[in-house]
Amino acid sequence: AAKTEERNAFRFYTPMMHADTRRRLQLAAELRQALARNEFQLVFQPSVELRSGRIVAVEALLRWQHPERGEVLPAEFIPVAESLGLIRRIDEWVMQTTCAQIQAWDLAGVPPIRVAVNISARWFGHPAFVDGISRNLQSRQLAPRRLLLEITESAMLRLGDDIERTMQTLDTLGIAVAIDDFGTGYSSMAYLKLPAVTCLKIDRSFIIGLPGNSNDAAIAGAILAMAKSLGLTTIAEGIETEAQHDFLLRSGCIEGQGYLYSYPLRPEEVQHLLCPNQPPVPTRLKLVPPRR
Ligand code: C2E
Ligand code: MG
Ligand code: MG
Ligand code: MG
């Protein structure tokens, strides 16, 4: 009986695997068009200073507004974009759009908070990466400290020996780096002392179990203590409960991000949150074209 069940189970899953493969292939075809068709959007998730509750930064997060499927999340399309070699162009679009958005907020009188951008391993490893970033900043006359580049441990690992030089260049330009999803990758202690690295983002997988799970509490506590003694700032990801907030605040974490404080927001919602007394803003901000 077990054998028949196994066979049936196998036959049951086959059509689903086909559907999954078909969906990926179709997404791939459509992803090639998405940039040209203007289907990407950025949303921005606030980061709050735990002690004061003040919003001190936002993180740009990519969304694909698919004409039929609706909103597609990065977890689904970024791996596809990577395998198609499209990720660099998408990352560049994200960087350009983020800089345009910072400029638009500035012109609207929004207080100048830091804006974090996620950088894929592909783009980070590209020889034109640092140049691309600084050209973006210059064309909009933005100070480098307005940006925080979020880079994962695995992206840093891929750079090999070039990592030191790249980070040195970023540091010289005044551009800061956060190690994203810290603790989930190849957590080399050597990365913590790289130039430009100013911040550790503690991955949500260590936050979920707080405060009850003693392993998570020990890991989060150790990361926070280490960051503090190295003079690095810390952001905890994915805070959803008051109990997590309290634990992190008591353990010396500086900033937090998560649904407890805010979901990712549209640009006009960010503006409203930071300037509550301003009249309502138009839904589509007019962006000033870059200076050449
Ligand atoms: P990440 O950089 O670690 O971003 C945090 C993710 O956690 C975001 O998912 C965010 O919406 C989600 N999140 C925030 N607070 C909570 C919470 O309290 N609970 C839960 N369950 N989730 C929370 P999102 O936007 O789907 O992004 C997923 C990943 O995709 C990001 O992880 C990042 O690695 C990547 N990504 C997002 N935008 C970009 C981009 O513009 N470029 C690149 N290269 N990667 C991006
Ligand atoms: Mg991130
Ligand atoms: Mg992260
Ligand atoms: Mg994460």
Side-chain angles (χ1 to χ4, degrees):
K3 263 215 159 122
T4 338
E5 254 171 50
E6 254 172 51
R7 248 206 328 269
N8 284 343
F10 180 71
R11 275 171 47 199
F12 176 71
Y13 279 110
T14 306
M16 285 184 67
M17 280 159 62
H18 281 311
D20 196 50
T21 311
R22 223 182 308 127
R23 182 177 161 93
R24 267 179 76 93
L25 285 173
Q26 208 179 339
L27 275 184
E30 291 161 345
L31 204 52
R32 294 184 191 281
Q33 318 285 325
L35 265 179
R37 292 185 181 162
N38 242 322
E39 291 170 357
F40 287 120
Q41 264 175 24
L42 292 180
V43 288
F44 297 87
Q45 188 178 32
S47 181
V48 305
E49 187 179 62
L50 294 180
R51 232 180 14 189
S52 64
R54 274 190 319 134
I55 297 171
V56 287
V58 290
E59 176 182 3
L61 295 164
L62 188 57
R63 297 290 179 264
W64 179 11
Q65 293 300 336
H66 190 284
E68 289 111 39
R69 299 175 205 268
E71 187 169 278
V72 187
L73 292 172
E76 190 167 8
F77 69 83
I78 286 197
V80 182
E82 276 177 346
S83 64
L84 293 172
L86 292 172
I87 190 68
R88 205 186 111 211
R89 278 180 47 215
I90 294 176
D91 272 4
E92 281 173 331
W93 180 88
V94 169
M95 185 55 69
Q96 281 164 14
T97 308
T98 299
C99 289
Q101 187 61 62
I102 296 175
Q103 192 181 40
W105 279 328
D106 282 356
L107 290 172
V110 176
I113 55 167
R114 193 185 73 227
V115 182
V117 181
N118 292 286
I119 308 289
S120 71
R122 280 303 160 87
W123 194 30
F124 184 55
H126 194 275
F129 170 70
V130 178
D131 244 31
I133 305 265
S134 58
R135 243 183 305 112
N136 260 298
L137 288 168
Q138 270 168 23
S139 70
R140 297 191 181 271
Q141 299 188 303
L142 298 175
R145 64 186 154 69
R146 299 295 298 279
L147 277 187
L148 179 69
L149 307 184
E150 294 196 4
I151 301 173
T152 60
E153 295 163 329
S154 49
M156 294 187 177
L157 182 66
R158 275 179 55 143
L159 239 67
D161 292 341
D162 290 341
I163 186 77
E164 182 85 36
R165 197 161 30 91
T166 303
M167 297 299 248
Q168 185 58 63
T169 316
L170 287 173
D171 194 43
T172 305
L173 289 167
I175 299 169
V177 168
I179 305 185
D180 203 355
D181 302 342
F182 186 76
T184 58
Y186 171 83
S187 305
S188 168
M189 299 302 136
Y191 293 157
L192 300 178
K193 55 171 196 176
L194 281 171
V197 171
T198 61
C199 176
L200 295 187
K201 293 195 75 170
I202 307 172
D203 192 67
R204 189 171 76 89
S205 57
F206 302 115
I207 308 300
I208 294 179
L210 297 180
N213 182 306
S214 56
N215 289 333
D216 287 347
I219 293 170
I223 294 175
L224 290 167
M226 183 177 64
K228 189 178 178 192
S229 51
L230 287 166
L232 300 171
T233 187
T234 39
I235 306 178
E237 295 186 330
I239 302 176
E240 294 184 355
T241 69
E242 292 285 353
Q244 291 166 345
H245 167 100
D246 293 343
F247 177 91
L248 288 160
L249 178 61
R250 266 188 283 116
S251 309
C253 186
I254 310 293
E255 288 178 38
Q257 243 181 327
Y259 299 161
L260 178 66
Y261 316 105
S262 174
Y263 291 107
L265 303 172
R266 283 177 283 118
E268 60 272 19
E269 295 175 312
V270 172
Q271 178 172 356
H272 185 69
L273 206 60
L274 293 170
C275 313
N277 299 325
Q278 267 184 21
V281 290
T283 44
R284 279 221 168 263
L285 289 173
K286 215 163 145 195
L287 302 181
V288 178
R291 292 196 190 191
R292 290 274 164 220

